[in-house]
Amino acid sequence: MKTLLLFLIFNYSKTWAKLYLDDKIKFPLDTDLYERVLDHQECNKQLGYIRRNDSLLMSRFLDAGMRVPRGILLGNLVDLGNYYQCLDIHESVKEMSIEGKYCMIKVPVNQNFKIDASFEKFKYNFDPGTLFLHAETIENLALECLQSIYNLFCFSNNQSSLLSNIQFNLALCVPKVCTTEETISGFLFNLTAIGFKYEDVYCRLPNDKPWAPVDYIAIIIFSLLGLLTLLSTSYEVYHNVICKKDPKRVNEILISFSALTNCRRLLDMNPNSDNISCLDGIRALAILWVVVGHVFYVIGHIPANPIYAVKWSQSYESIWITTASLTVDTFFFISGLLLVYITAKKLTGRELVKNLPFFYLNRLLRMFPVLAVVVLYEASLANRVADGPLWHRFMVDSTHKCRQFWWTTLLHLQNFINPEQVCVGVTWYLAIDVQLHILSPIVLFWVLGRSKTLAWSALIVALCASLAASTTYIFTSEPLKETSNYFVYYYVNILTRAPPFFVGLVYGYLLHLWRKRKARIHTILHRFITLFIISLFMLIMYCKFKGDLLDFQNKTLKSLFHSFLRPLWALSLGWIIFVCVNGYGGPINWFLSLNIWKIPARISYALYLIHMTLMMTVYSTSLQPVFFTVGSAMFDAFGFLWLSMFVAFFLTAFVDAPFAILFKKLFECVSKKKPRTNEKPRIAESNQNGTIPQVLHKRENLITKI
């Protein structure tokens, strides 16, 4: 078993990105349109008219376009002009239609310019001589580029020079028929004469988002979901309210899409003795930490004061944000724990092998509906809900990825095939979770058997093998020695993320053994261990923060941190759950079991999938880079929390919950044998307790577990 597990994991870990997007093709936009509208003769005619006869129109173009960024000393090298003002230019004069076109260009810093005297009168609009950075600013910005390669001003991957990594990103408003070169030469100065160098990034025009087949598919599918919800809700209202029939006699399939039933079940606060109540608090706090961490992460890509942002991220004040990635291992741990805890109650090892196709199908179908809806939305309508100067960089890019690689996300292969071009970026977690569940029967077969010795042996061997394989890989992998490879070769690698899942399997079996009785722990002992565990939490966060600092160069310690911090996090979390379940949690258990956590926990899956899409949508409409402060970021975080929870609630109620009922009925029909008359009670009991892992019978487990 150990050899097979190592073979599978090493085989998976060696499969890396083979599919990439062509950055020059953004087919969610009509890229041919930008070429079709160009007309050299018409451009000269329009520029000549504007320059000689219409100073107000010329001022509109210049005012909406290129200027020196404000806050250069704080590291701001981005000016986005005025996107809507530029695209709103539409003048008809002398048989000419003069319209605005918004473009972005990147300009190398500290160029040597030869300013012509005739240019002096235009300096109030744009003075290229001021595009200069001092050595200290360049050094600080280089650190920011190393930390966040996706930052707006970090365009080059050439590490030979600090200057090669840092460039200005400037907006330019030009007539639709002109190129940026023609407009700069016509409005401002002769490019060749003063030695001004730049490179085009992209241009935007009104109505440059052509309708694609996926847009029509999305409208049809979302309309059908809305129609089903309306019809199902109407049926329930007619049956229960108008006809006043017994609610228990209502057809469960016909009300599966009912908004009334699904919302009522989501809002139900009645305790369930079969559930581990403290998991609601842990799951809710973990997903809230994910959302807050991602707000700081996204703002870090568009900061107006990146130097301050980097300095803050390297200070101890940021430890609660920079260590937020640890919370993902909370979900890996919970996933492993619930897998054993739930399955052990329903199946034996032989029954698991016999029903292995249902075991896998159950897992995949549970996650598919909401995932498919989010993928479809991001591939289609997400590109149409808004617009802005950063739309091309974020939302168009996301739509492009989903139209190309939607299938890798739905098949949970994205961390192998296209880890750097993932459709719905946060789904890398789902891919690893599914892959771990595919491997889990190798261990579960022994865990579900009658022999506790074999069960513990299988769990310990699997955990040790996972830790040994992960540690060996981390210490010996050459690509991991380069910081730029961290995400692909470590963060989304099943080999390095598996240990917390196996720790969860161990705790799941431990809780299963103590399911019907409480463990007896001496008061002094459990208090001492709990205090030690809390101290260990703090130490883990400190080590994670310290290891991620830009000036931390101890590679051996970094490898140790990568190998053991996440399993230790899961180990510590498991103890907290164990004492809470056995009545020793005290105020910790009271806090984690509060009813306030139930709803966030139930919608956590949809919340996880949708929150980044909402953030990118909002920030893509920003008209200028965001000035980063902790207070403003937290203000945004609370706003995104409520917005994401609102959307996630309806996704869960109108998509996840209805399909859960349908899949439950499907499994029941497939798993049932045609009973004899006198065997009905016995077979009904069998369906409840397990010919397949009926996680779907526990509605709360279905709609809360990520």
Side-chain angles (χ1 to χ4, degrees):
M1 182 187 69
K2 178 179 178 180
T3 304
L4 179 60
L5 180 62
L6 287 174
F7 171 78
L8 287 172
I9 294 179
F10 271 119
N11 183 56
Y12 288 157
S13 68
K14 295 299 181 182
T15 308
W16 298 117
K18 296 182 179 179
L19 298 178
Y20 294 92
L21 291 173
D22 186 348
D23 292 333
K24 296 181 180 179
I25 301 176
K26 300 289 187 183
F27 71 82
L29 298 178
D30 187 358
T31 51
D32 292 336
L33 174 64
Y34 311 126
E35 298 294 330
R36 294 198 304 268
V37 297
L38 297 179
D39 188 327
H40 179 66
Q41 292 183 348
E42 182 68 14
C43 174
N44 289 334
K45 182 179 178 182
Q46 290 187 11
L47 290 176
Y49 170 80
I50 295 171
R51 189 170 54 247
R52 291 189 299 268
N53 304 315
D54 201 331
S55 58
L56 178 60
L57 184 56
M58 182 175 181
S59 296
R60 291 177 65 186
F61 276 102
L62 295 176
D63 186 54
M66 190 160 58
R67 60 174 60 88
V68 177
R70 292 168 290 180
I72 286 182
L73 295 180
L74 295 177
N76 179 32
L77 307 185
V78 180
D79 184 86
L80 300 178
N82 194 313
Y83 180 79
Y84 294 105
Q85 178 182 334
C86 179
L87 296 185
D88 194 48
I89 295 176
H90 194 294
E91 297 289 336
S92 297
V93 291
K94 294 186 176 181
E95 299 181 351
M96 293 184 297
S97 178
I98 302 176
E99 300 177 38
K101 179 170 65 177
Y102 181 90
C103 297
M104 292 294 295
I105 62 174
K106 52 185 178 182
V107 181
V109 300
N110 295 5
Q111 298 185 58
N112 294 319
F113 298 112
K114 299 177 182 179
I115 305 298
D116 189 86
S118 62
F119 178 68
E120 294 294 328
K121 63 180 179 179
F122 295 108
K123 279 190 174 183
Y124 71 93
N125 288 311
F126 174 72
D127 183 0
T130 58
L131 297 177
F132 179 84
L133 296 179
H134 297 284
E136 182 180 355
T137 304
I138 292 174
E139 184 177 354
N140 289 329
L141 286 173
L143 290 176
E144 168 66 6
C145 284
L146 291 175
Q147 186 187 49
S148 178
I149 61 173
Y150 301 106
N151 201 294
L152 277 177
F153 51 76
C154 303
F155 289 100
S156 174
N157 292 322
N158 182 6
Q159 300 294 326
S160 61
S161 169
L162 292 177
L163 287 177
S164 67
N165 289 311
I166 304 171
Q167 303 186 42
F168 289 96
N169 201 357
L170 307 177
L172 185 64
C173 187
V174 306
K176 182 173 73 172
V177 295
C178 299
T179 64
T180 56
E181 181 178 356
E182 290 170 335
T183 304
I184 293 175
S185 299
F187 278 168
L188 298 177
F189 47 79
N190 188 301
L191 290 169
T192 305
I194 73 167
F196 184 80
K197 299 178 181 179
Y198 75 95
E199 182 179 345
D200 288 313
V201 181
Y202 66 85
C203 290
R204 294 293 310 280
L205 284 167
N207 303 316
D208 60 354
K209 299 177 182 178
W211 284 85
V214 68
D215 296 318
Y216 299 106
I217 293 173
I219 291 174
I220 293 172
I221 291 178
F222 294 149
S223 298
L224 285 175
L225 287 174
L227 180 61
L228 286 173
T229 301
L230 179 62
L231 293 176
S232 185
T233 306
S234 300
Y235 168 74
E236 184 179 16
V237 171
Y238 176 79
H239 184 279
N240 296 344
V241 180
I242 298 177
C243 296
K244 297 182 179 180
K245 295 182 180 180
D246 185 2
K248 295 181 180 179
R249 299 183 63 183
V250 70
N251 187 303
E252 191 173 0
I253 294 180
L254 293 181
I255 66 164
S256 59
F257 283 86
S258 173
L260 294 177
T261 295
N262 293 327
C263 290
R264 183 169 57 248
R265 289 175 178 173
L266 276 179
L267 297 172
D268 182 21
M269 296 295 180
N270 293 325
N272 190 330
S273 58
D274 291 335
N275 293 329
I276 303 174
S277 57
C278 64
L279 283 183
D280 287 339
I282 293 174
R283 188 182 288 111
L285 291 173
I287 193 63
L288 297 183
W289 198 8
V290 167
V291 174
V292 173
H294 278 159
V295 169
F296 282 78
Y297 171 78
V298 175
I299 291 178
H301 287 179
I302 50 173
N305 52 338
I307 292 177
Y308 169 76
V310 171
K311 288 181 178 178
W312 180 82
S313 70
Q314 301 297 294
S315 68
Y316 287 103
E317 297 176 6
S318 69
I319 192 171
W320 59 286
I321 287 296
T322 54
T323 59
S325 61
L326 287 170
T327 193
V328 180
D329 297 281
T330 300
F331 293 115
F332 284 126
F333 166 77
I334 293 176
S335 181
L337 183 149
L338 290 178
L339 177 63
V340 173
Y341 186 76
I342 294 173
T343 309
K345 185 181 179 181
K346 301 177 180 297
L347 295 175
T348 64
R350 291 186 178 181
E351 288 174 337
L352 174 66
V353 174
K354 182 180 178 181
N355 295 281
L356 202 57
F358 290 101
F359 175 82
Y360 290 142
L361 190 62
N362 178 46
R363 182 65 184 174
L364 294 172
L365 289 181
R366 282 181 56 205
M367 299 187 298
F368 181 79
V370 175
L371 176 62
V373 165
V374 173
V375 168
L376 180 60
Y377 170 76
E378 194 147 327
S380 57
L381 303 183
N383 188 39
R384 298 187 169 277
V385 295
D387 208 341
L390 298 176
W391 198 259
H392 182 280
R393 184 174 181 85
F394 295 115
M395 292 308 296
V396 169
D397 190 54
S398 296
T399 300
H400 188 29
K401 291 175 183 176
C402 281
R403 292 186 183 182
Q404 289 286 86
F405 299 136
W406 57 270
W407 57 276
T408 64
T409 295
L410 295 181
L411 293 177
H412 305 289
L413 298 172
Q414 62 270 42
N415 61 320
F416 294 142
I417 296 177
N418 56 309
E420 293 181 289
Q421 308 286 354
V422 176
C423 167
V424 189
V426 295
T427 57
W428 67 265
Y429 162 80
L430 298 182
I432 295 178
D433 185 68
V434 167
Q435 292 153 17
L436 289 171
H437 274 73
I438 291 174
L439 294 175
S440 64
I442 301 173
V443 180
L444 284 179
F445 174 78
W446 305 99
V447 173
L448 301 180
R450 295 181 178 181
S451 173
K452 294 182 181 179
T453 302
L454 287 177
W456 280 116
S457 298
L459 288 169
I460 293 173
V461 169
L463 176 58
C464 292
S466 174
L467 281 171
S470 175
T471 304
T472 302
Y473 169 76
I474 289 170
F475 273 88
T476 59
S477 176
E478 289 296 326
L480 265 181
K481 295 179 181 179
E482 298 182 19
T483 306
S484 59
N485 292 330
Y486 172 81
F487 180 78
V488 173
Y489 288 89
Y490 175 83
Y491 200 77
V492 299
N493 184 356
I494 183 177
L495 186 61
T496 58
R497 307 310 292 266
F501 178 83
F502 286 100
V503 174
L505 295 181
V506 173
Y507 272 105
Y509 186 65
L510 187 64
L511 291 176
H512 168 66
L513 293 179
W514 293 91
R515 189 189 298 267
K516 296 182 180 180
R517 53 197 175 99
K518 300 294 183 182
R520 294 185 178 181
I521 310 174
H522 194 279
T523 303
I524 296 177
L525 179 61
H526 88 73
R527 288 181 179 177
F528 172 79
I529 297 177
T530 302
L531 287 175
F532 173 77
I533 290 298
I534 293 174
S535 302
L536 186 58
F537 272 127
M538 296 179 181
L539 179 62
I540 292 170
M541 293 178 67
Y542 172 78
C543 292
K544 176 70 170 64
F545 167 78
K546 198 71 176 177
D548 289 342
L549 292 177
L550 297 175
D551 59 355
F552 188 80
Q553 301 298 326
N554 191 321
K555 294 184 179 179
T556 302
L557 272 181
K558 271 192 174 183
S559 297
L560 285 173
F561 291 162
H562 289 332
S563 300
F564 296 107
L565 288 185
R566 298 179 187 278
L568 285 174
W569 179 270
L571 181 70
S572 304
L573 196 61
W575 172 259
I576 298 297
I577 295 172
F578 183 76
V579 295
C580 287
V581 170
N582 286 280
Y584 297 99
I588 297 177
N589 184 51
W590 168 82
F591 177 73
L592 294 177
S593 302
L594 289 173
N595 286 338
I596 193 176
W597 305 123
K598 288 187 180 296
I599 294 177
R602 289 169 180 168
I603 64 174
S604 58
Y605 175 52
L607 179 58
Y608 179 76
L609 287 180
I610 199 63
H611 75 279
M612 275 291 283
T613 299
L614 296 176
M615 287 181 197
M616 300 300 283
T617 301
V618 172
Y619 283 124
S620 294
T621 62
S622 299
L623 299 181
Q624 286 298 335
V626 179
F627 191 88
F628 171 77
T629 65
V630 178
S632 63
M634 285 304 300
F635 183 84
D636 287 356
F638 281 113
F640 282 119
L641 278 174
W642 286 110
L643 177 61
S644 301
M645 288 177 65
F646 179 81
V647 176
F649 181 89
F650 288 105
L651 264 179
T652 304
F654 299 156
V655 179
D656 194 13
F659 282 100
I661 297 172
L662 296 180
F663 292 149
K664 170 188 169 183
K665 293 296 182 183
L666 175 64
F667 278 123
E668 288 178 350
C669 291
V670 172
S671 62
K672 277 183 179 179
K673 296 179 181 179
K674 192 171 182 179
R676 297 176 186 175
T677 306
N678 58 355
E679 289 182 341
K680 281 187 177 180
R682 183 170 61 83
I683 292 189
E685 181 180 355
S686 173
N687 283 330
Q688 287 296 324
N689 294 321
T691 56
I692 59 172
Q694 290 285 347
V695 181
L696 295 175
H697 282 296
K698 301 300 181 184
R699 189 173 187 81
E700 185 168 327
N701 286 333
L702 167 73
I703 58 182
T704 59
K705 182 184 172 191
I706 288 186

